[in-house]
Structures are given as structure tokens and as C-alpha cells.
């Protein structure tokens, strides 16, 4: 039996159709704040079919392996074939592969996943995150690996390599700058509207349960670097681009998607304050960063 569910994430509508006995709110609890109670007619950013893993045996799974990523969560493999892409995900919790077939723009996708009662389905969420991050690129939007906060209706994004202290710095803002609230702790979205740039919460927030269907004008992007001395420096032009680019979600070997993302990122860096903060994990670093951003 087919069931349709509708969501609005960062202003984009997606439709998820289940062809299996999947309890969608249990499988995707972080999506509940983004769920639309009434059907919408589109246009849809993504049309997703969710089917049971038992049906995957009838599907031809092939393609050229482009990339393999392994971290504490599990393994992700990306394959390219004539019609588009195939992704395979295996988490450390479940010793089984889950699959997504997608067209070249990730607008039409089919996901084969486990149907397991009331349990959360991290593999389904991860595959949707990947599809979403690629499909938004042509609409001047980009998903970034960052911690995001908002204060006085302005959002601020903190980027950096894993372990740099993005979440810690966000908490320092919350603890030391009045009325600062966490927007997202792992995968917020940046989107261009005319001459304005906005930061959005999403259903993907890493290990922190922060799933806010909110958006605020983006006041700054800061790349963090651990240091024994706190120092803030503004970045312009190429330096700003190079600072933000590593945290952007794009299939870099896809020239079309990569070029579109780069065009969007150039506009973002020309409009939004971008800085580098060499810092200790302390109150002084948060205040220094805040003052430099709000005074631009």
C-alpha cells in the first residue's frame, strides 16, 4: 500500500512515498517539525520512494565506484551509472547495506531500507540528507557542515574540521551572549534570496537533537582553528571562498553540480561576512567572534 508524506525543509517541498509497512514518524523523528499536515501539489524538490530491503533483489545494483567514506557511523559508497547515481550505506548498528538510486539531479530517488517497527532509521535519514544536499544546489542553496546559532534574529555559522570545536564554540555563544540559541549542530543550510542570505535549520543535526524549522538572515560564517591565543581575522574574496568551500556538501567529481555550487558560494562570500577565528575554547573567544561579526 502506498502512503504519501510531505515535508518542507529550508523552504523546499519534498514528498516521500512509502511502499512498505514503514511507520514514518518513528523512522524519521527528526523530520516531524518539518512535516506538512496537508498534501501539497508541488513542485517538489525531491520525490522519494521508500521500499523494503526485501525488494532490492529485483533491482540491478551496478555502477562505477566513485568514492567510499568510513567514519564512526559506518560506510557510504557512491557509484555512478548512466542514469545517475547509486549510494550504498551500512551503519555500525546494522550489518546490512541500504541503497538509494537517484537520477543525475537527485530529484527522483528510490531508497531500499529496513522496515523495523518503531525504531529510528538512521540509514534512511542519511540517504535523504545526501539527496537533499545535492538537489538544492541548482536553487542557490548549499548544505554545510557547521554548527549554527541565532541571536537577535540573525544566524551565525561556525565551520571547521571535525574535532575543531564547532559545537563547543556554539555553546560558548549560548552561554555568554544574551538570547543566543542553537539552530543546528551539524548540517544547516545556506540559501540565497535576491540580495539576502539566510541560514536554515534542518532535520540533520548530528549527535545533538536540534531539529528546528526556522530560518534567519545569515550574519556571518567563521572558520575555527584551535590556538593558544584568540585572534579574529576577516577573510575576503578567494580567502573567504577557500575557507567555506571544504564544509560544503557536493559531489566534487560531478562537474555540473560542483560548478553550480561554486557559483552560489561566490555570491555568499561576496555578501556575508566571512572570518577566521584562531581560538581557545573560552568565553573570550566567543565575545571576540561576536563583536567582530556584529560590528561589520
Amino acid at each position: 500500500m502506498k502512503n504519501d508524506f510531505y515535508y518542507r525543509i529550508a523552504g523546499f517541498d519534498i514528498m516521500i512515498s512509502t511502499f512498505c509497512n514503514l511507520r514514518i514518524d518513528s523512522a524519521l523523528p527528526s523530520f516531524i517539525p518539518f512535516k506538512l499536515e496537508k498534501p501539497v501539489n508541488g513542485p517538489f524538490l525531491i520525490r522519494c520512494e521508500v521500499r523494503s530491503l526485501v525488494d532490492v533483489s529485483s533491482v540491478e545494483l551496478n555502477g562505477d565506484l566513485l568514492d567510499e567514506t568510513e567514519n564512526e557511523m559506518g560506510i557510504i559508497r557512491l557509484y555512478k551509472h548512466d542514469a545517475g547515481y547509486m549510494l550504498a550505506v551500512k551503519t555500525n548498528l546494522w550489518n546490512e547495506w541500504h541503497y538509494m538510486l537517484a537520477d543525475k539531479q537527485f530529484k527522483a530517488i528510490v531508497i531500499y531500507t529496513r522496515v523495523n517497527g518503531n525504531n529510528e532509521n538512521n540509514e534512511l535519514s542519511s540517504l535523504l540528507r545526501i539527496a537533499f544536499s545535492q538537489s538544492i544546489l541548482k536553487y542557490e542553496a548549499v548544505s554545510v557542515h557547521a554548527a549554527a546559532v541565532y541571536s537577535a534574529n540573525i544566524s551565525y555559522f561556525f565551520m571547521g574540521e571535525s574535532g575543531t570545536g564547532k559545537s563547543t564554540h556554539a555553546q560558548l555563544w549560548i552561554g555568554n551572549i544574551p538570547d543566543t540559541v542553537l539552530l543546528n549542530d551539524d548540517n544547516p543550510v545556506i540559501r540565497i534570496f535576491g540580495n539576502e542570505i539566510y541560514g536554515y535549520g534542518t532535520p540533520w543535526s548530528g549527535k545533538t537533537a536540534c531539529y528546528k524549522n526556522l530560518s534567519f538572515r545569515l550574519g556571518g560564517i567563521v572558520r575555527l582553528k584551535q590556538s593558544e591565543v584568540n585572534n579574529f581575522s576577516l577573510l575576503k574574496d578567494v580567502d573567504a571562498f577557500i575557507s567555506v568551500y571544504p564544509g560544503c556538501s557536493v559531489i566534487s567529481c560531478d562537474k555540473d553540480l560542483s560548478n553550480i555550487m561554486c557559483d552560489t558560494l561566490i555570491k555568499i562570500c561576496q555578501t556575508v561576512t566571512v572570518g577566521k577565528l584562531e581560538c581557545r575554547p573560552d568565553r573570550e573567544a566567543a565575545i571576540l567572534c561576536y563583536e567582530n561579526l556584529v560590528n561589520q
Side-chain angles (χ1 to χ4, degrees), residues 145-147 158-166 222-225 243 246-247:
H145 182 45
F158 310 125
M159 305 181 73
E161 297 179 3
S162 297
T164 300
K166 298 182 292 295
V222 179
R223 175 159 288 273
L224 305 178
K225 183 178 181 180
S243 177

Side-chain angles (χ1 to χ4, degrees), residues 148-271:
V149 300
Y150 60 94
S151 177
N153 292 321
I154 304 293
S155 62
Y156 303 92
F157 282 36
F158 310 125
M159 305 181 73
E161 297 179 3
S162 297
T164 300
K166 298 182 292 295
S167 298
T168 299
H169 190 74
Q171 290 301 319
L172 287 168
W173 273 56
I174 292 167
N176 293 285
I177 297 166
D179 302 320
T180 299
V181 180
L182 187 67
L183 177 61
N184 186 275
D185 205 30
D186 194 53
N187 279 112
V189 163
I190 301 173
R191 187 175 181 186
I192 300 174
F193 278 104
N195 294 324
E196 297 285 349
I197 315 291
Y198 286 85
Y200 288 80
T202 72
W204 305 284
S205 189
K207 298 178 181 179
T208 304
C210 183
Y211 313 114
K212 295 179 179 175
N213 190 5
L214 298 172
S215 64
F216 302 93
R217 187 170 64 81
L218 184 57
I221 305 170
V222 179
R223 175 159 288 273
L224 305 178
K225 183 178 181 180
Q226 293 178 351
S227 174
E228 295 182 357
V229 178
N230 292 324
N231 181 64
F232 184 95
S233 55
L234 287 175
L235 300 176
K236 298 286 187 179
D237 303 323
V238 175
D239 290 334
F241 181 93
I242 292 173
S243 177
V244 179
Y245 178 86
C248 298
S249 297
V250 64
I251 298 175
S252 57
C253 59
D254 186 315
K255 292 183 179 179
D256 292 335
L257 290 177
S258 186
N259 288 338
I260 292 170
M261 194 278 291
C262 287
D263 289 341
T264 298
L265 187 54
I266 289 171
K267 294 180 182 179
I268 292 170
C269 292
Q270 289 174 339
T271 306

Side-chain angles (χ1 to χ4, degrees), residues 67-113:
D67 186 48
E68 178 173 310
T69 304
E70 185 171 1
N71 54 36
E72 70 276 5
M73 298 296 292
I75 304 172
I76 299 176
R77 292 176 179 169
L78 173 66
Y79 298 85
K80 181 75 168 67
H81 55 78
D82 291 340
Y85 292 97
M86 184 187 79
L87 285 98
V89 172
K90 181 170 71 171
T91 64
N92 294 329
L93 181 62
W94 300 94
N95 189 29
E96 58 189 1
W97 288 98
H98 301 244
Y99 301 94
M100 176 172 71
L101 303 178
D103 64 6
K104 293 179 180 179
Q105 295 182 331
F106 287 86
K107 291 182 66 68
I109 64 176
V110 181
I111 294 176
Y112 295 87
T113 187

Side-chain angles (χ1 to χ4, degrees), residues 1-6 14-24 39-41 44 46-52 55 109-110:
M1 186 172 103
K2 177 175 177 283
N3 293 293
D4 295 330
F5 304 93
Y6 304 88
I14 68 174
M15 181 173 72
I16 299 177
S17 301
T18 61
F19 292 81
C20 52
N21 188 26
L22 182 74
R23 297 176 182 176
I24 196 73
V40 292
N41 295 321
F44 295 105
I46 296 173
R47 291 178 180 266
C48 171
E49 295 183 7
V50 180
R51 298 181 180 273
S52 173
D55 298 326
I109 64 176
V110 181

